[in-house]
Structure formats: C-alpha cells, structure tokens
Amino acid sequence: MNAAKVLADLHTKKKKWRVPAKYAPRKSHIEPGDCGIFVTCDKGKEGQCMRESKDIFTEYIQKLYPPGPEQEDKQETEDLDIEAELQKELDALKKPAAKNSSAVEAISLDIPCVVFLRLPTTVDPVLLVHTICVDAARNKDQKNSRWIRRMTPVTSTRKVLGSGIEELAALVLPPHFGHGGDEKEDVEKKEASKKYAIRPTMRSHNSVSRGDLIKRVADKVDAVSLGHTVDLQHYDLLILVDVYKNICGMSVVGNDFEQLKRFNLAEIYNPTPPPQPKSSTREPSPDMPAIKNLVRQVLHADDAIDRVDRLDASLYPMYLLHFVDIPPLVLKMSPEPLTRTLRLESQSLNSEAEILYMLRSQPKLPIPELVQYIDHSHSTGKSILLRKSISGTSYSNLAPYMNRSQKEEIERQLGTFMAAICGYVSSMFGPVSNVSSNSGSKSWREAFTAMFESLLRDAEDMLVSVDYEELRYQLERFEPFLDEVTEAHLVFPEIGNAHDIIIDPHTNQVVGLVNFENAMWGDPLLMDVVRNASPSFLVGLGCCSVKPGSCKVRRSIYQCFRAVQQVVVYYYRPSGEDEELRARKALSNAIAELASLDL
C-alpha cells in the first residue's frame, strides 16, 4: 500500500467529520467524582486567577508526578516511514484520542471570587496544595503568585442530597481514621486515636444546615473507627467540607493547616500584621503589677505568672491567669466605671462568690472551686473573685459533633445537676444579695413584682421602646398565680447556656458549670433551662422542684421577664442586633399568649 492509495481511501469514505475527542469542549461544571482545588481571589480577577492557578498546578504536578520512561522515549521510537505515519494518523481519526492524564482544567463558577481547578484523579490535591504552601513558606522572597489567595483541596465530590455526604465520607475518611470492622486491631486503634475537627464551607446552598453537615460527617468518623475525639484547637486532623450548590467536596489535612495560613498563599507571602491593642476605657489591658500583688496577697506566695489572657465577657472583666508551677486560675473583677449595669446586676459578683462558697459542700456538682473573694481590693479598687479554671470544651462547640444519644445524656446530666441546685431552699424570696442582708421578701409574688418593676425602670432610664402599660397590666392581672410558689429554691436564670457548660471531649461528660451570676431565691421555672426543658432533662430533674399548678401562666410571665431583660441588656451593652430581634419576638409572643388567657 502506497501513500496515494491511502489518500484515495480517505476521499471515498463519506463519513461526517467529527471533532477529535482531544479537542472536544471540556466539562464546564463540577460533577460527582471530581477531584480538584477551590481557589479564591479578588473580585473581578477570576480569569487571571484561573490562568495563574493552572500554570502553577501544572508545574507542580510535573514535579510530583514526573512522566515515565516510555513517555520520555516516545519521540525516539517513532522512526517510521511515510506510509506508516499516514496510516497511524488515519487510525487516530478512527478512534478517540486518549485523554491527557496531566491536564488541569479551570472551571469558572457563577459566584464571585471563587474558581475551581479540576485535577486528574491520579493527583492528590492535598499533597499538591501542601507542597505549594510549604515551598512558599520556605521561599517567601521568591513569590510566584499574584492572584491566588486561599486554596482548598477537594479529594472527591458527591451530590449533597440523599446519602451523598455519607458516601463521600466513607471514601475520604478511612485512609486517615482507619477502616474499622477488625476486632483484632482494637488496641492499635486506641493507640492511633486522633483528635479531629470539622470545618465546613457553604456556597450557594441552603438545603443542609451547617450543624447537620457537621453531625453527619462526625457520625461517619465514629462509624469508620471508634476512639477518635473532637478537639477544635489542637487537632491532629482537620476535615474540610466544601458545599457548592448541590455538590459536596471533602478532604483531610494535617495539623499544620493554621501554620500554613489555612493554605492562603497571599497570607504566606505577605502576612497580615496582628491587630494592635486598641485604647479603650471599657476594655483596658490587664494591670499586671496590680494582678501580681493580688496573687501574692491571696496565695501567700510569689508564684510567677506566665501570661494573662482576657476572656470574653459582657459585663465583668475576666482573665485567665497562667502560672509557671500551679494550674491556671480565673480572675473576675467588678465592671469598669463606664459600663452600664442593671439594678439587678449591682451585686451579682458578690452573690456569685456567696453561692460558690455555699455549694462547695456538694462534691458531685461540677462547679469551679472558689479561691478567694475580695470586696473592693485596696490594690485595684474593685471587687475581685478568684476561682479555679475548669479544663474542657464548651457544649456549644461540641454539640454539632454529637449524636442524638450523646446530647440526651448531656441533657440528663444537666437535669440531675439542676435538681441538686434547686434542692437548696431559703425562708425568703428575692435576689441572693437581698436575702443575705435580711431584706428579702416573704412571698414570691412580692419579690418577683419588685424585680420586674426594677427591670422596667431600667428600660425607662434608657428610653427603651417597649409596651410598658401592657406589661404592667398583664403582670397585675396574673399576680395571684405567683402565690402558688411557696418554697424559695435556689435559681440561676441564665444557667444552662451552652457556652457556659464545659464538656470533657474524651468522655462526653459535663465537668463544669461556670455562670452563677444573678442568682436568686424563687421559682425554678424562671430558669431558661427548666422552662424549655427537653424530655431527657426532665428525667434528670425529677418532679421535686417544679410544681405543676398554673405552669402555663407562670411560664408566660417569666418569658416576658427574660425577654425584657435581654432587650434592656442590649441597650445597656450593645452586641449583635439578632439578639435584640429574637428577644423582641419572644416578648411579643409571650404578651400575646398572656392576653389570650382567661382568669
């Protein structure tokens, strides 16, 4: 067969011309099974970012996955005559061309500042991103990126709906957390147990909530292998979950994620300087000499303070004192001079110290041990409460990782603790500071109406917009129902907040309750945690503390009281607007419920 005959054959076959597969258009969207990298950039720079990312990723893929000898010698083995070369081209037209295994495909998304780079399935995106970031950290003076910001590796993807998240977790997690199912490896699993955290990112998706996503992935970690624990700060492995529209991507990265600036190239090359402390009269920096003098006076020793960390607090300045030779302590001080306080909050610190001292005889209650309380210290001019710190993680951080049975056990434990606390009774009603000074009330009706009126006066002082006339009318209307409360139980209206419950992440047991502010003697139903109790909480609480009676009426009255309190606190110490909106909605519902009730 000669060259002329081959060309003649081509003309005689009248088949429709088709674009070779290697020149066919690429997929323009993310599909299940894809692996790749989400890359963020500045708005309007998506095109430059895609081109730059493609170049850099291709360069590093060639370094990490060099071509084999057969590919390098391909050109040398093609020493063919003209007829064989023409025949080869003809055969290439008859069958699809093989896909380039090293191609990186850039996909433009319909959201600003984010693009996706699809990688060959033979490439490990975590290794690729980690290598790029490590090289950048070692050679900051050789910057080779201008548009790339954060890179998020995606090992694989699945559909969000149905069981896609579970299927994806079953594919991605076992290589890092173990495969499970082998009883012979129980000892090895315990020794190889890891601390992990889950960090989801949601883009253009609202079908699955963030909490539900975390829970489903955490359940899969437990299903893969037992013994792993949650640690949001000192994790060994971090599970990255990225949801874009109806596609979920997942990968597992190491504990140097924060050190590498969360895979943010721009931050690695040009780190953002740490924020400078702001001068503020409301949140001054710790007075180290005064604190050191205080420690010497209280502990009667020259224990060296390693460092002082300020803790989040809305009213009382709180500091975590780290020592060289002894466990850390929590220092709580009276509010700053310019901090506005409600009338009911004026003696809260003193009440908390009194309650901690009283409850010290209950070893089963997970309360912090009081070290010292000083009323108006000479060294600082403020009241000071010093207590031991409780190690653990707040329930608010751990709850998304817990399954239903674990949460029910936590609620049951809280109910048991509340039953023990409410077991304390007094002969008088009202705030703890009033009862301690023998100025308490003989009835709960008298004490509660006085507290409610005090709260309304606080609101009037700040010109808070609430329906004062309606609130006073409804309270006067249902006052007689308060006389059903004949025993003054120890009550903490705000106790049970998920932020103030400390959990041991290894055992999932409650090891600390840390908010004892605004304590009073009265009706346990005033506590949010009792009023909104779950069935598991009620099992632990028992029936000894809450009398049935007119619970519905009292519940609505207390809901009004707590909602007004939250609204007023927002005006005295502004925080997030969402809190005020939620409180006003709860107040409106409670007033409407009271108005609908008949005497």
Side-chain angles (χ1 to χ4, degrees):
M1 180 183 293
N2 53 31
K5 184 175 178 57
V6 173
L7 293 174
D9 290 341
L10 285 176
H11 288 290
T12 57
K13 295 179 180 180
K14 297 182 179 180
K15 289 185 178 180
K16 187 176 181 179
W17 174 264
R18 290 182 298 177
V19 178
K22 64 180 179 179
Y23 300 115
R26 303 287 189 182
K27 300 173 184 176
S28 59
H29 55 276
I30 306 174
E31 293 189 350
D34 285 345
C35 78
I37 302 171
F38 281 107
V39 183
T40 64
C41 61
D42 293 332
K43 189 174 182 179
K45 304 299 180 182
E46 292 83 0
Q48 295 94 319
C49 179
M50 283 193 293
R51 290 190 292 272
E52 181 179 78
S53 301
K54 188 173 181 178
D55 292 342
I56 293 177
F57 294 166
T58 301
E59 176 187 351
Y60 271 86
I61 289 175
Q62 293 173 354
K63 291 180 181 179
L64 295 172
Y65 305 92
E70 67 280 358
Q71 292 177 327
E72 294 177 353
D73 300 335
K74 185 176 180 181
Q75 295 297 329
E76 298 179 4
T77 59
E78 293 186 351
D79 187 12
L80 305 175
D81 57 18
I82 185 62
E83 290 187 12
E85 187 173 350
L86 287 173
Q87 184 63 45
K88 183 179 178 182
E89 292 183 6
L90 178 61
D91 294 339
L93 294 175
K94 293 180 179 180
K95 62 179 181 180
K99 186 177 179 179
N100 186 358
S101 60
S102 62
V104 177
E105 303 174 39
I107 298 177
S108 177
L109 307 179
D110 57 357
I111 53 176
C113 307
V114 184
V115 298
F116 183 78
L117 279 296
R118 182 188 288 121
L119 303 178
T121 55
T122 56
V123 175
D124 181 358
V126 176
L127 174 63
L128 178 62
V129 171
H130 187 269
T131 303
I132 294 173
C133 291
V134 169
D135 286 353
R138 291 175 179 172
N139 305 285
K140 293 184 179 181
D141 56 335
Q142 301 176 10
K143 183 177 179 180
N144 64 351
S145 168
R146 180 179 179 184
W147 310 109
I148 297 175
R149 289 197 172 273
R150 178 169 297 167
M151 300 176 291
T152 303
V154 175
T155 301
S156 188
T157 58
R158 290 293 187 276
K159 294 280 188 180
V160 174
L161 300 180
S163 59
I165 295 176
E166 286 75 11
E167 294 175 2
L168 180 60
L171 174 67
V172 176
L173 300 181
H176 305 277
F177 293 93
H179 295 270
D182 191 350
E183 296 180 357
K184 296 181 180 179
E185 297 180 357
D186 285 345
V187 176
E188 295 180 3
K189 289 177 187 176
K190 291 181 180 179
E191 293 177 354
S193 62
K194 297 180 176 64
K195 295 178 290 184
Y196 74 96
I198 302 172
R199 190 164 297 174
T201 302
M202 319 286 278
R203 298 184 178 97
S204 301
H205 180 86
N206 55 12
S207 298
V208 179
S209 67
R210 185 176 185 275
D212 182 48
L213 182 64
I214 292 176
K215 181 181 180 300
R216 291 167 69 177
V217 176
D219 289 345
K220 207 61 184 177
V221 172
D222 293 337
V224 168
S225 179
L226 297 176
H228 304 300
T229 57
V230 175
D231 193 324
L232 302 181
Q233 296 181 343
H234 306 97
Y235 51 79
D236 300 315
L237 296 173
L238 176 64
I239 304 173
L240 301 178
V241 186
D242 278 74
V243 177
Y244 168 68
K245 289 189 174 180
N246 64 335
I247 292 291
C248 178
M250 187 180 300
S251 63
V252 180
V253 301
N255 56 7
D256 59 351
F257 181 69
E258 296 292 340
Q259 182 181 352
L260 293 176
K261 305 296 183 182
R262 302 183 180 183
F263 296 160
N264 190 321
L265 269 186
E267 280 294 311
I268 293 176
Y269 286 123
N270 299 304
T272 302
Q276 298 297 324
K278 299 179 181 179
S279 58
S280 172
T281 56
R282 297 186 63 178
E283 294 188 1
S285 58
D287 187 350
M288 290 298 294
I291 291 177
K292 290 181 178 180
N293 291 333
L294 175 67
V295 170
R296 293 191 186 97
Q297 294 174 15
V298 174
L299 302 180
H300 305 290
D302 293 332
D303 296 284
I305 298 179
D306 184 29
R307 74 175 192 272
V308 177
D309 296 334
R310 179 154 190 151
L311 304 177
D312 292 334
S314 60
L315 178 58
Y316 297 100
M318 294 178 61
Y319 304 96
L320 183 61
L321 310 181
H322 297 270
F323 296 87
V324 176
D325 300 321
I326 63 175
L329 300 176
V330 174
L331 175 65
K332 204 170 183 178
M333 308 176 72
S334 54
E336 301 297 335
L338 297 181
T339 301
R340 297 188 180 96
T341 59
L342 278 61
R343 290 172 171 85
L344 292 174
E345 296 173 335
S346 59
Q347 296 295 322
S348 292
L349 195 60
N350 179 68
S351 300
E352 181 174 0
E354 183 178 341
I355 292 302
L356 290 178
Y357 182 79
M358 182 182 68
L359 296 179
R360 77 191 189 285
S361 59
Q362 280 279 2
K364 294 184 179 180
L365 282 177
I367 61 173
E369 180 182 343
L370 178 66
V371 177
Q372 185 71 42
Y373 174 72
I374 302 177
D375 193 9
H376 292 89
S377 166
H378 293 293
S379 58
T380 62
K382 301 178 180 179
S383 297
I384 292 173
L385 186 150
L386 195 64
R387 63 168 175 82
K388 291 186 177 180
S389 176
I390 299 178
S391 60
T393 305
S394 69
Y395 184 38
S396 60
N397 288 333
L398 284 180
Y401 299 88
M402 293 182 171
N403 55 39
R404 181 176 180 180
S405 61
Q406 290 173 328
K407 291 181 180 179
E408 289 176 349
E409 174 59 21
I410 296 295
E411 296 291 330
R412 188 198 62 78
Q413 293 179 49
L414 290 176
T416 303
F417 298 145
M418 291 305 107
I421 290 174
C422 293
Y424 286 83
V425 295
S426 172
S427 59
M428 290 188 290
F429 295 85
V432 167
S433 56
N434 291 359
V435 174
S436 300
S437 60
N438 293 322
S439 58
S441 302
K442 293 298 183 181
S443 70
W444 175 236
R445 177 178 180 176
E446 178 186 349
F448 181 79
T449 53
M451 291 189 297
F452 208 149
E453 184 60 31
S454 171
L455 192 58
L456 293 178
R457 290 181 181 177
D458 289 328
E460 290 172 336
D461 291 344
M462 289 293 291
L463 303 178
V464 179
S465 177
V466 294
D467 195 339
Y468 298 96
E469 183 177 352
E470 180 67 15
L471 286 170
R472 289 187 170 102
Y473 168 73
Q474 294 296 344
L475 178 60
E476 181 180 1
R477 183 176 173 223
F478 291 104
E479 272 183 4
F481 290 93
L482 298 174
D483 289 331
E484 293 179 352
V485 182
T486 57
E487 286 186 336
H489 296 273
L490 183 58
V491 172
F492 304 97
E494 299 173 5
I495 200 170
N497 187 300
H499 296 282
D500 301 324
I501 302 172
I502 308 302
I503 307 293
D504 184 342
H506 301 284
T507 63
N508 286 331
Q509 299 293 306
V510 178
V511 295
L513 301 173
V514 295
N515 189 347
F516 294 89
E517 299 174 3
N518 304 321
M520 61 184 65
W521 298 98
D523 186 359
L525 198 59
L526 181 62
M527 293 191 290
D528 296 338
V529 69
V530 175
R531 196 170 56 257
N532 306 316
S534 65
S536 300
F537 181 90
L538 293 176
V539 170
L541 181 66
C543 302
C544 58
S545 300
V546 181
K547 306 288 183 182
S550 56
C551 278
K552 185 176 182 180
V553 175
R554 302 202 321 270
R555 187 189 304 273
S556 298
I557 294 175
Y558 300 154
Q559 183 65 34
C560 282
F561 175 83
R562 293 288 292 131
V564 171
Q565 187 178 34
Q566 291 168 10
V567 171
V568 176
V569 166
Y570 170 79
Y571 278 85
Y572 273 64
R573 300 183 294 275
S575 55
E577 294 184 2
D578 291 343
E579 296 181 9
E580 184 199 8
L581 294 177
R582 283 195 296 267
R584 286 191 177 276
K585 183 177 180 180
L587 178 59
S588 298
N589 293 338
I591 292 177
E593 186 174 352
L594 283 174
S596 65
L597 296 176
D598 295 327
L599 291 173

